[in-house]
Amino acid sequence: MKIKLYKYTPHIESFLNTLMLRATRTKDLNDPFELKPNQELVESIVTNGAQSETALSLLGGRQGFAEFKLSYNKGVVALSECHDNLLMWSHYADEHRGGVIELTFDLENESHSRTLVQRGLFQNLADNNYQYGLVRYRKNRSIDLSMISGRRYELWQQIVDQLGFIKSKDWMYEEEHRFLIDMNYCNKTYVPDNEYSRERMTLFDVSVESVSVGDKNYIVVPPEHILSKAAKHKECEPHFEMLFLNGFTTRTEYLQFVDIKPDCVTGLYLGAKMRNEQVESILSDTDRLSKFQNLKEDIYQAEIHSLNFDLEFKPLTVT
């Protein structure tokens, strides 16, 4: 099944350079209800988790324990069915100064998978490292516990299958499809470039690459599961591995990305308030654009409709 979805972003040029999309930790999303169980579900998770009161207190009590079990190591790549929603442009495309990426790929049912899997979007993210689904919008936060069985990890995974894809009706305008990513398998992590990070990276047999994002400097490090193996090979102290590696999924200043296949990019929509020099930079860099075989010249710029609260999209010419 061929599907066409859209990614609103303030960082069009960054995407064109790196071919990466950010997987945002669930706790860093703008909806505080993401993977947050209600009281009924908290009690079920705690009961099946069989945790001592001491262990519960370390994670912030029963609610904290339940949230940790469901959201730890989870990130979201969110896409939309529409490219012209005014609220989305304001909220996620830097108030119309950013843009929208059109992504076309296949969704397939595989015999080994209970859900649809992508073909043609992710560069090298294995099927068992993410879950795909359409977000369902409703008022009630409850899930059907009668459909859930098993204990510990199996139980929590089934809960995530349901809870990770429901949101309030107030978000219906987003028309969201999402990939719930295992953050251990993100292709790259950006860690703030400072003495602390560089000192600890010397403990791994990996090269250190530096990048700048805006006015901030980062070190680019490989996926967490690779560094974890390196830590064991180098016989790092266990507490170091836990604090430094697991920190990738709990600290807001660390950014995780998944690689995207260039062939899935089939359109670019530039914001109505994007700077002229930025538009020209995108259109004139034919070497960069040549990476996207299916983009052709499907590049547009939004314009404010003369009569209605709408956007019109004017085709642009690659120079």
Side-chain angles (χ1 to χ4, degrees):
M1 176 179 69
K2 189 74 72 175
I3 190 168
K4 192 185 297 290
L5 298 174
Y6 301 91
K7 180 64 180 179
Y8 291 77
T9 175
H11 306 299
I12 283 282
E13 287 203 87
S14 176
F15 172 80
L16 294 176
N17 290 333
T18 63
L19 280 132
M20 298 190 304
L21 293 179
R22 183 183 176 190
T24 306
R25 283 173 295 271
T26 53
K27 74 181 187 65
D28 293 332
L29 294 168
N30 55 10
D31 181 1
F33 291 95
E34 293 282 2
L35 278 174
K36 195 179 187 72
N38 63 12
Q39 194 57 45
E40 177 188 28
L41 189 51
V42 167
E43 295 307 317
S44 176
I45 293 170
V46 171
T47 300
N48 284 278
Q51 297 295 309
S52 68
E53 289 302 320
T54 300
L56 292 176
S57 66
L58 291 174
L59 290 171
R62 302 168 81 82
Q63 181 78 33
F65 170 78
E67 291 180 22
F68 175 81
K69 286 300 181 183
L70 297 181
S71 64
Y72 180 68
N73 277 4
K74 295 292 189 299
V76 170
V77 173
L79 305 176
S80 174
E81 292 183 8
C82 64
H83 69 283
D84 56 358
N85 186 284
L86 300 182
L87 288 177
M88 298 277 281
W89 272 97
S90 292
H91 294 164
Y92 303 120
D94 193 19
E95 300 173 359
H96 296 256
R97 288 184 287 265
V100 173
I101 306 159
E102 180 183 282
L103 302 166
T104 304
F105 55 97
D106 288 308
L107 288 172
E108 297 181 0
N109 264 117
E110 296 289 314
S111 59
H112 65 274
S113 175
R114 291 182 292 112
T115 58
L116 289 167
V117 295
Q118 63 78 31
R119 291 290 177 263
L121 177 63
F122 297 130
Q123 188 73 265
N124 47 25
L125 194 64
D127 293 343
N128 59 347
N129 297 149
Y130 67 85
Q131 298 155 265
Y132 162 80
L134 279 73
V135 172
R136 303 179 300 280
Y137 302 98
R138 62 195 203 194
K139 186 70 174 176
N140 196 303
R141 291 169 56 198
S142 298
I143 66 173
D144 188 356
L145 293 175
S146 68
M147 301 294 291
I148 295 172
S149 61
R151 292 182 61 83
R152 301 292 179 102
Y153 179 79
E154 182 183 16
L155 171 82
W156 301 323
Q157 202 58 34
Q158 291 179 50
I159 294 173
V160 169
D161 282 346
Q162 292 194 46
L163 194 62
F165 297 93
I166 60 172
K167 295 183 70 170
S168 164
K169 287 184 176 180
D170 292 336
W171 296 96
M172 287 181 66
Y173 71 91
E174 292 189 342
E175 299 181 81
E176 183 182 345
H177 295 229
R178 67 169 39 173
F179 291 91
L180 197 59
I181 307 286
D182 182 339
M183 300 291 265
N184 287 319
Y185 293 89
C186 285
N187 301 117
K188 291 182 179 178
T189 296
Y190 285 11
V191 181
D193 189 349
N194 52 43
E195 185 177 351
Y196 172 85
S197 298
R198 284 184 172 268
E199 177 185 347
R200 278 144 186 80
M201 285 304 295
T202 60
L203 298 175
F204 303 97
D205 292 323
V206 294
S207 59
V208 176
E209 174 190 355
S210 297
V211 297
S212 296
V213 179
D215 59 351
K216 296 181 180 179
N217 297 319
Y218 294 90
I219 294 172
V220 182
V221 298
E224 189 170 329
H225 71 284
I226 291 178
L227 284 184
S228 183
K229 291 178 182 178
K232 290 180 172 62
H233 175 71
K234 297 281 286 187
E235 296 182 350
C236 296
E237 296 179 16
H239 75 278
F240 163 76
E241 182 185 340
M242 180 182 69
L243 292 176
F244 189 67
L245 295 178
N246 291 346
F248 290 173
T249 58
T250 58
R251 295 180 60 174
T252 301
E253 65 268 32
Y254 291 174
L255 310 178
Q256 282 106 343
F257 299 89
V258 290
D259 292 334
I260 300 300
K261 292 183 178 179
D263 290 353
C264 74
V265 179
T266 53
L268 294 177
Y269 300 84
L270 310 182
K273 293 166 63 177
M274 181 178 282
R275 293 179 293 107
N276 290 336
E277 54 267 35
Q278 188 176 1
V279 174
E280 181 58 33
S281 172
I282 291 172
L283 296 177
S284 62
D285 196 339
T286 53
D287 287 340
R288 180 169 59 180
L289 293 176
S290 67
K291 295 182 298 186
F292 306 97
Q293 296 181 10
N294 295 323
L295 177 59
K296 299 181 172 53
E297 293 193 0
D298 292 324
I299 304 177
Y300 306 87
Q301 183 161 26
E303 293 184 341
I304 304 300
H305 195 283
S306 59
L307 296 176
N308 304 326
F309 288 109
D310 288 319
L311 295 173
E312 297 181 310
F313 294 94
K314 177 186 70 176
L316 300 176
T317 302
V318 176
T319 57

